[in-house]
């Protein structure tokens, strides 16, 4: 596990092209990303590494395992199952997305995750989480599906107020999007110099101050650094969007985003809405396919 400030370095003299894919989170907006990734798989588009946050990590792992359609399939099948996502689960377990059902029963028995294919794929898979003690991002390269990799993915996707903190690797963690929603700078810092960024917000989006801050301050009062990170999240996020915009205009990165706001909640129990957002992602990638290939080959 690595912290951003510990791994900054200048790669002087290293001209090897490293292709990176950065996946923003956004709960069920992640179905947009799932549609794009399925187009990538169908067309043989690959990367040297992925940096994924929250839903980007939970759905993006299927890209590394080569399981096109899996994220759509199990979300549609189980979106109305209270074990998957419900306030009943929140009251009963402290997690609105049932930890045992989502991260154990589904991948191990109901819709089996291909750990063999995941492990055989040399692509790196960096997961971003937020440390409650420091309020800073923690990065973990879950290149192999072994040991506690699933806990890192679960931690990255665990939203404050509706999830219990996840203890793994000596840290107490929650949603990676709190500290680093779009980890482009992190990937650049470790040598990725040809990056595609998938956003789940439309162009022109600006994050506002969290109206839940009074409740968040009370809930996490024993973690003042985490509270500060929550309070500053909109500022950091908007600064990151500005950085991405500048890189995009200069042609240094390629950005894929929805053309309009995605009409879906963070929690979604309607299969038709999940399929609609997935289809928007798929259509977006298909329209940009030639440009994506040209960028990666250039």
């Amino acid at each position: 596990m690595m912290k951003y400030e510990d791994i900054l370095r200048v790669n002087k003299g290293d001209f090897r092209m490293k292709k990176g894919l950065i996946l923003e989170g956004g709960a069920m907006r992640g179905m947009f990303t799932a549609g794009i990734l399925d187009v990538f798989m169908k067309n043989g588009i690959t990367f040297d590494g992925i940096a994924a946050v929250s839903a980007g990590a939970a759905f993006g792992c299927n890209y590394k395992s080569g399981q096109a359609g899996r994220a759509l399939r199990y979300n549609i099948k189980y979106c109305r199952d209270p074990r998957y996502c419900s306030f009943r689960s929140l009251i009963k377990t402290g997690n609105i997305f049932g930890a045992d059902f989502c991260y154990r029963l589904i991948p191990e028995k109901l819709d089996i995750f291909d750990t063999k294919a995941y492990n055989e794929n040399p692509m790196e898979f960096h997961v971003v989480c937020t440390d409650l003690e420091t309020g800073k991002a923690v990065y973990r390269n879950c290149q192999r599906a072994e040991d506690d990799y699933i806990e890192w993915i679960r931690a990255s996707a665990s939203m404050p107020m509706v999830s219990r903190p996840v203890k793994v690797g000596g840290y107490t963690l929650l949603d990676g999007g709190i500290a680093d929603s779009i980890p482009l700078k992190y990937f650049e810092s470790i040598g990725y110099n040809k990056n595609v960024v998938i956003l789940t917000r439309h162009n022109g989006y600006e994050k506002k101050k969290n109206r839940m801050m009074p409740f968040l301050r009370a809930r996490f009062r024993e973690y003042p650094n985490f509270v500060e990170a929550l309070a500053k999240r909109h500022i950091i996020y908007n600064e990151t969007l500005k950085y991405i915009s500048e890189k995009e205009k200069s042609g240094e990165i390629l950005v894929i985003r929805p053309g309009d706001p995605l009409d879906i909640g963070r929690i979604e129990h309607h299969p038709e809405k999940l399929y609609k957002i997935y289809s928007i992602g798929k259509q977006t990638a298909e329209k940009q396919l030639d440009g994506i290939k040209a960028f990666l080959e250039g």
Side-chain angles (χ1 to χ4, degrees):
M1 62 290 294
M2 297 173 288
K3 292 186 178 180
Y4 180 72
E5 61 271 22
D6 294 332
I7 50 101
L8 283 173
R9 66 175 182 266
V10 178
N11 297 291
K12 293 181 179 179
D14 183 4
F15 298 103
R16 185 169 64 91
M17 190 65 68
K18 289 183 69 176
K19 296 183 293 183
L21 179 64
I22 290 85
L23 306 180
E24 183 182 15
M28 286 306 152
R29 293 197 311 276
M31 295 309 299
F32 173 80
T33 302
I36 294 170
L37 296 181
D38 281 358
V39 172
F40 283 2
M41 281 186 264
K42 180 180 178 182
N43 288 275
I45 295 174
T46 61
F47 296 83
D48 296 301
I50 295 175
V53 183
S54 194
F59 299 160
C61 60
N62 298 294
Y63 178 51
K64 180 168 160 61
S65 67
Q67 292 176 276
R70 182 173 180 269
L72 175 67
R73 184 173 60 242
Y74 71 71
N75 272 284
I76 285 181
K77 186 173 183 178
Y78 298 113
C79 65
R80 288 177 172 165
D81 191 317
R83 296 172 298 172
Y84 182 66
C85 178
S86 67
F87 286 103
R88 188 176 85 179
S89 174
L90 177 62
I91 294 169
K92 186 176 180 180
T93 69
N95 294 297
I96 198 161
F97 285 91
D100 286 334
F101 189 77
C102 294
Y103 296 97
R104 293 179 182 82
L105 190 57
I106 288 178
E108 293 176 7
K109 295 183 178 180
L110 301 178
D111 197 321
I112 296 174
F113 182 68
D114 193 342
T115 56
K116 183 175 183 293
Y118 183 99
N119 289 340
E120 290 176 351
N121 188 336
M123 178 167 44
E124 295 183 348
F125 193 79
H126 296 250
V127 176
V128 186
C129 304
T130 302
D131 182 0
L132 268 67
E133 293 289 347
T134 65
K136 296 181 179 180
V138 178
Y139 306 90
R140 172 75 171 191
N141 183 6
C142 298
Q143 190 161 2
R144 294 184 60 81
E146 57 189 15
D147 300 326
D148 52 11
Y149 87 100
I150 197 70
E151 289 298 282
W152 285 94
I153 293 175
R154 182 166 77 88
S156 183
S158 293
M159 299 179 289
M161 299 298 286
V162 292
S163 308
R164 291 184 180 275
V166 178
K167 293 183 181 295
V168 60
Y171 297 94
T172 302
L173 304 167
L174 277 174
D175 187 355
I178 303 301
D180 193 357
S181 295
I182 313 165
L184 173 60
K185 288 184 179 180
Y186 163 70
F187 241 26
E188 291 175 336
S189 76
I190 60 172
Y192 283 87
N193 45 20
K194 177 73 83 169
N195 295 303
V196 173
V197 180
I198 299 179
L199 303 179
T200 58
R201 294 290 194 181
H202 59 287
N203 197 17
Y205 172 78
E206 182 178 348
K207 186 174 285 295
K208 305 298 182 183
K209 185 177 180 179
N210 195 328
R211 292 177 294 179
M212 293 290 290
M213 277 310 303
F215 301 100
L216 290 164
R217 289 185 188 279
R219 168 64 180 84
F220 296 104
R221 58 187 177 276
E222 70 270 38
Y223 298 109
N225 293 322
F226 183 69
V227 170
E228 183 179 2
L230 286 164
K232 292 181 177 179
R233 184 185 183 189
H234 65 293
I235 298 172
I236 303 301
Y237 183 89
N238 292 332
E239 288 176 348
T240 301
L241 286 183
K242 183 178 179 181
Y243 179 78
I244 287 171
S245 179
E246 292 170 353
K247 288 274 186 173
E248 182 182 19
K249 288 176 182 176
S250 68
E252 295 177 69
I253 66 171
L254 186 144
V255 180
I256 306 173
R257 56 167 70 83
D260 299 296
L262 296 175
D263 183 22
I264 194 166
R266 296 183 68 81
I267 298 166
E268 186 54 68
H269 298 299
H270 295 87
E272 63 276 9
K273 280 196 173 184
L274 293 168
Y275 184 76
K276 180 180 178 180
I277 300 305
Y278 168 86
S279 297
I280 291 172
K282 187 176 178 181
Q283 291 163 11
T284 300
E286 289 170 343
K287 288 178 182 178
Q288 295 183 225
L289 193 57
D290 289 343
I292 295 166
K293 288 180 178 179
F295 174 78
L296 291 173
E297 293 168 2

